[in-house]
Amino acid sequence: MRAGTRELLTKIGRRATAVALATAFIVAGARASAVPLVNPSFFGQANTTYQEWDGFTSPTGPNPATHVNNPYGTPTWVDTTANTDDAFIIGTPPAAHIYSFDAILNLQATVPAPTLSSGATTTIVFQAEVLGSALDQTLFGVSLAGLMGSPLQPTQITQVDEGVASGGFGGGDFYYRVEWDNVPAASSYTLTYVAGDTSSSQVSARIDTLTTVPTTSLTGDVNNDGIVNGQDLALVSSSWLQAGANLASDVNHDGIVNAQDIALVSSNWLHTSGAGAQAAAVPEPSTIALLGVGLLALLARRQMRATRARNFIG
């Protein structure tokens, strides 16, 4: 028998053995009490994405998510070395595992996301369950679309060892939660991770993202409630002609609450601030002018009454 033929038959035999063992492993009950993949605290908020793989259909992908809420595109998941690591599917797709008996898996998921405005950042939370060999914690990384350079390292990694996987074939049962904070906003993110050894089975995975823009102060929003309105004018009125440092109603920070502060409040009337907020309808300039004049008249009347009261007492 030729050496090449012998090598091929040996490889086929090893693969058949691996498939038989792995299938028995799954049928016997691969996991007894897995840690569930849970919603992060920001789940469901604006500018978030959610994609979860309860199983996989092919090592080479694209493996569309089995559960997804991502209006920005289609997430994918692949084994980047599937053509050389002899990875294969065990179980019934889509609730199936990707497994390699004698090589190390190199996994990759790509998730589209909103870019929003300049200065926006993204929080990425990755969760996964792995059977057999654990993942290599030193090789978690995130790359940004359109940017070169090394993958970004996680902010925090949690690994829960749930003990020996059931089924009688050894190996562990591991849950992971990996988080990246303050990642620059990009149109998509590519997350990579690697099995720590051979005989690793990728059971499930989940990726959530939250993209936010930095909050900025809004001129005239004296009470910092995100809108310039009558409440801010009332605060300016209550602090009229007060002088000093760091007065909340001193909109222009010149050390005194006066008509200039009213003018700034009026010029931003009904503007809003905050992530994703849009400006409300702005009144006509004539309306703003009348608003300022009316408030000045009210303040003048209050000051006149106070003066009369002091004169009467005197």
Side-chain angles (χ1 to χ4, degrees), residues 45-49 69-73 111-117 120-122 183-189 209-213:
Q45 294 182 21
N47 304 316
T48 59
T49 74
N69 184 8
N70 189 335
Y72 311 102
V111 175
T115 54
L116 298 183
S117 62
T121 59
T122 300
V183 178
S187 58
S188 68
Y189 300 96
T209 72
L210 166 66
T211 302
T212 57
V213 295

Side-chain angles (χ1 to χ4, degrees), residues 82-103:
N83 292 326
T84 58
D85 62 21
D86 292 328
F88 56 93
I89 290 290
I90 52 177
T92 304
H97 304 186
I98 291 181
Y99 179 80
S100 178
F101 179 68
D102 57 358

